[in-house]
Amino acid sequence: MMLGRHFLTKVVRGILTVWIIVTFTFIALNLSGDPIDALVGDQASPEVIAHYREKFGLDRPLWQQYLSYLASIAQGDFGLSLSDQQPAVELIATALPHTLRLGLLAFSLGLVLGVGLGIIAALNRNRPIDRFVMSFAVLGFSLPNFFLGILLILLFSLHWRLLPSSGDATIWHLILPAVTLGTHFAGTFARFTRSAMLEVLNKQYVTAARAKGVPRPRRVLWHALPNAAIPIITIVGLKLGDLVAGSIIVETVFAVPGVGRLLVNAVTSRDFALVQAILIMVSITMILANLAVDVIYTLIDPRMRAARAEN
């Protein structure tokens, strides 16, 4: 019962967070200027401008537009794109598979590489390989994605002509953007995995397993890693929710027709409905990722389960 109340509280907080994001975005976009100016251009007549303002409901007072937008969202209607005259949801649905394909490939690459390197670094603490891994980790999450992406294009596309530099038509097109985005994930995961593993490697149960003659791989995978999983799961969950937001720059650099590039174009053209719909999707993704992490915590950690049951 207590656990159910805890998750219900999380859901309510998530809904409030989405409402705050929607409200802030609505106010910020309306303060940025009139979207009709970007749609019809500077040479349009007042009659044309008035027609489009009435068509999209922009001739009403701001508070009426806000309430109408909230009511539409509650019914699953995110409005029409000003630029394409299509439902915003349809445009996102068209672009989303491109983002998911790139994001999941980059995330998988970063997870396998980052966790593996983090474990190796922890097992070789203060040795040259540990310093090398930590140098890679710092470089990975500190290096701007646009810089790394352009560098890879210069080397692998223009200089060596090994890989295509734009689009995502084939797996070969995805290699460079996936490496660019995956390097950031790998650096972050390696750093957190190393820290988590160092905390548990000297625990009594690991020492006892070593004294019993348990082979090192089994000690690491069956004794140390599961107990180091909670902080690793935390950062993995946060980064999983960050897939769409993190792909914005990468999709722009490599001309991948995903949600990130769609958002950049929508902001440039002041496409209010499309920007708001994408930001709502990103925020819901983050909230669901955090909720999933919370559920996994409760499943794998009996202490947390007992503490929440007491509260």
Side-chain angles (χ1 to χ4, degrees):
M1 183 66 178
M2 293 296 180
L3 292 178
R5 185 180 301 172
H6 169 76
F7 291 122
L8 180 61
T9 302
K10 286 281 186 179
V11 172
V12 172
R13 287 178 180 173
I15 294 173
L16 288 176
T17 301
V18 173
W19 172 73
I20 291 172
I21 291 172
V22 169
T23 302
F24 176 80
T25 305
F26 181 86
I27 294 173
L29 288 175
N30 278 277
L31 290 177
S32 68
D34 191 345
I36 301 301
D37 293 339
L39 177 64
V40 301
D42 298 332
Q43 306 301 320
S45 65
E47 292 78 11
V48 172
I49 294 176
H51 168 74
Y52 278 103
R53 288 184 62 81
E54 182 180 358
K55 177 180 179 180
F56 291 102
L58 299 176
D59 58 331
R60 295 177 296 170
L62 195 60
W63 65 270
Q64 289 186 5
Q65 295 180 41
Y66 175 70
L67 293 178
S68 176
Y69 185 66
L70 288 182
S72 298
I73 290 177
Q75 299 172 16
D77 180 9
F78 291 88
L80 290 176
S81 166
L82 295 179
S83 303
D84 298 271
Q85 306 290 303
Q86 297 181 40
V89 174
E90 291 184 6
L91 294 175
I92 295 175
T94 302
L96 188 58
H98 299 275
T99 295
L100 292 179
R101 188 160 54 241
L102 169 60
L104 293 177
L105 179 60
F107 188 84
S108 301
L109 175 65
L111 182 62
V112 173
L113 185 62
V115 172
L117 290 177
I119 293 174
I120 292 173
L123 295 175
N124 296 275
R125 185 179 186 181
N126 295 328
R127 295 178 182 174
I129 190 171
D130 179 26
R131 298 188 184 94
F132 172 79
V133 170
M134 286 300 97
S135 298
F136 165 78
V138 172
L139 186 66
F141 66 74
S142 301
L143 198 64
N145 283 338
F146 72 88
F147 177 80
L148 179 58
I150 293 174
L151 181 62
L152 292 178
I153 290 174
L154 289 174
L155 290 176
F156 290 92
S157 297
L158 298 180
H159 184 64
W160 293 324
R161 298 184 181 278
L162 295 175
L163 294 168
S165 62
S166 62
D168 64 344
T170 67
I171 188 64
W172 302 107
H173 290 79
L174 287 172
I175 291 178
L176 292 184
V179 169
T180 302
L181 188 56
T183 299
H184 171 76
F185 289 139
T188 305
F189 294 153
R191 183 184 178 193
F192 276 84
T193 301
R194 178 184 181 273
S195 300
M197 288 294 293
L198 286 177
E199 282 191 26
V200 302
L201 284 175
N202 294 321
K203 296 291 186 180
Q204 289 185 353
Y205 50 83
V206 178
T207 304
R210 183 168 60 245
K212 293 178 181 179
V214 177
R216 191 182 191 187
R218 185 176 179 85
R219 292 201 310 268
V220 172
L221 296 177
W222 291 91
H223 294 78
L225 187 57
N227 289 282
I230 288 182
I232 298 174
I233 290 174
T234 302
I235 192 63
V236 168
L238 292 175
K239 289 299 179 181
L240 186 61
D242 193 36
L243 275 181
V244 176
S247 67
I248 293 175
I249 295 177
V250 175
E251 288 183 358
T252 302
V253 170
F254 291 95
V256 176
V259 176
R261 191 181 179 196
L262 186 65
L263 177 60
V264 172
N265 294 335
V267 171
T268 303
S269 61
R270 294 179 186 172
D271 195 334
F272 286 9
L274 191 53
V275 172
Q276 290 168 332
I278 293 175
L279 291 180
I280 291 172
M281 183 196 72
V282 172
S283 62
I284 290 176
T285 302
M286 294 290 295
I287 291 168
L288 290 177
N290 287 325
L291 184 60
V293 168
D294 210 49
V295 172
I296 294 173
Y297 275 1
T298 305
L299 294 176
I300 68 175
D301 192 343
R303 296 169 302 177
M304 190 171 294
R305 193 161 54 239
R308 285 174 180 167
E310 291 176 359
N311 298 329

